[in-house]
Amino acid sequence: MGYSSKFCRRLNGVKPALVMVVVQIVFAGMNVFYKLAMNDGMNMMILVAYRSLFATAFVLPLAFFFERKIIPKLTWTIVFQAFLCGLFGNTLAQNFYVASMHLTSASFTAAMANLIPAMTFIMAILCGFEVLGFGNVAGKAKVLGTLIGISGAMLLTFYKGVEIPMWSTHALHIHHDDHGGQVSTSGKRVLGSLLAVGSCLCYATWLMVQTKMSEKIQCYYSSTALMCGMGSIQAVGFALCMERDWTQWQLGWNIRLLASAYSGILASGLMVTLIAWCVHERGALFVSVFNPLMLVLVAIAGSILLDEKLHLGS
């Protein structure tokens, strides 16, 4: 009994870390599906809108069946926090992210996501969620990691380097024409970098708001349903304003439907629920430090499956 209880305690201790590893694996798969849908010609603002709708449709019944008796009374504060979570964590962060991916590549955008821990750490200190603690080893390590993350993002933006040859299967590569040509390649890279930084800033802001929201509502399906619902209204409204061609909204039995369902049900519906739980258990900074894992997975998958070129700078 003693050994069993000790094992259970250790398992509970590493559970948040294991959960975040799963989250990053699913997010890496989302990057692959994003790029495939993009190469197929899908409007990415519409994909973000469908992602929100699929997520809401998936998690809302779960919240009703599992948490309808325990969910606290909704206040205007909770509703406003859910609105901000939907705005920063879904509508802005995802639209900036896919726009950056369109201008660069899946592995480049995932690499820029390494800025999230640095931004989250700075914002957590400003909001009073973290203490700088420069006098101890942990505090120095956080500051050093922040500086390395920012320096790495700058290096990634301005230095490309030699190509690293990797085995490519071309398994999921869909050919598409690049109408931009070679004229504005460097300009696209810089603009893509700025959009990626904007996405990281929005994601870090979402984690801050999520931390405050988790203090008032600890029903994770319900909080996810609120965030996804708010994000759906915002993302659909934004996509409708930007894209009036109704043929772009049509989904068939193709990669567009698969990308929308995967990103909505898994990446938003399930993973945001897990992130909400981890934020409550360990805080926003703990969640953000797992983002670099996604870079490794996306770089490997992008090179092997999508025929993306991996360079020394990334």
Side-chain angles (χ1 to χ4, degrees):
M1 291 295 292
Y3 177 80
S4 177
S5 61
K6 184 183 296 186
F7 175 78
C8 291
R9 286 196 300 270
R10 290 183 177 178
L11 182 62
N12 288 329
V14 300
K15 190 187 296 183
L18 295 176
V19 166
M20 287 309 304
V21 170
V22 173
V23 167
Q24 295 306 318
I25 293 174
V26 173
F27 280 173
M30 180 196 69
N31 278 266
V32 174
F33 280 113
Y34 267 6
K35 195 65 177 180
L36 289 173
M38 187 182 301
N39 290 350
D40 193 51
M42 186 176 187
N43 186 307
M44 298 310 289
M45 290 178 290
I46 294 178
L47 176 56
V48 172
Y50 273 126
R51 170 183 175 171
S52 304
L53 290 172
F54 270 96
T56 305
F58 173 76
V59 78
L60 193 58
L62 296 178
F64 176 77
F65 285 114
F66 293 111
E67 297 176 344
R68 66 181 184 276
K69 295 181 180 179
I70 60 174
I71 184 173
K73 182 180 179 180
L74 293 182
T75 63
W76 284 111
T77 301
I78 295 177
V79 173
F80 181 64
Q81 289 173 341
F83 175 84
L84 293 179
C85 285
L87 180 65
F88 289 106
N90 181 78
T91 307
L92 293 179
Q94 289 303 312
N95 276 292
F96 285 159
Y97 191 86
V98 296
S100 174
M101 188 183 296
H102 178 70
L103 293 173
T104 55
S105 67
S107 56
F108 179 90
T109 311
M112 290 295 288
N114 287 342
L115 276 175
I116 293 176
M119 291 183 174
T120 305
F121 179 55
I122 294 173
M123 293 181 69
I125 292 176
L126 295 176
C127 294
F129 298 145
E130 291 282 339
V131 179
L132 183 60
F134 195 70
N136 54 51
V137 176
K140 292 178 181 178
K142 291 177 182 179
V143 173
L144 179 62
T146 301
L147 295 176
I148 291 175
I150 295 174
S151 302
M154 294 178 63
L155 176 67
L156 184 67
T157 304
F158 298 107
Y159 175 71
K160 191 172 184 180
V162 297
E163 181 180 334
I164 301 175
M166 289 191 68
W167 175 55
S168 175
T169 63
H170 299 269
L172 301 178
H173 181 59
I174 299 176
H175 177 73
H176 64 104
D177 295 326
D178 184 7
H179 299 290
Q182 299 296 323
V183 178
S184 57
T185 301
S186 59
K188 285 183 177 181
R189 188 177 181 88
V190 173
L191 179 58
S193 300
L194 293 176
L195 289 169
V197 170
S199 176
C200 295
L201 182 60
C202 291
Y203 191 92
T205 304
W206 169 60
L207 290 176
M208 294 297 102
V209 180
Q210 174 77 348
T211 301
K212 294 297 293 182
M213 187 176 174
S214 66
E215 295 175 358
K216 294 181 172 62
I217 177 171
Q218 297 177 19
C219 302
Y220 306 112
Y221 289 123
S222 300
S223 62
T224 302
L226 279 171
M227 289 185 287
C228 292
M230 292 292 184
S232 296
I233 297 172
Q234 299 162 4
V236 171
F238 178 71
L240 286 173
C241 291
M242 301 301 294
E243 181 58 72
R244 302 295 179 86
D245 184 7
W246 289 105
T247 59
Q248 285 287 333
W249 289 82
Q250 296 176 359
L251 294 178
W253 293 102
N254 50 27
I255 188 61
R256 301 186 184 196
L257 176 61
L258 185 58
S260 301
Y262 179 95
S263 61
I265 296 173
L266 290 181
S268 285
L270 285 178
M271 296 306 109
V272 171
T273 304
L274 295 177
I275 289 174
W277 175 79
C278 285
V279 166
H280 179 261
E281 292 292 318
R282 294 294 182 87
L285 184 61
F286 175 86
V287 171
S288 69
V289 298
F290 283 85
N291 279 86
L293 175 60
M294 182 178 65
L295 166 62
V296 180
L297 300 173
V298 172
I300 295 173
S303 298
I304 295 177
L305 300 177
L306 302 177
D307 196 33
E308 290 188 345
K309 305 304 179 184
L310 189 64
H311 293 87
L312 182 62
S314 58

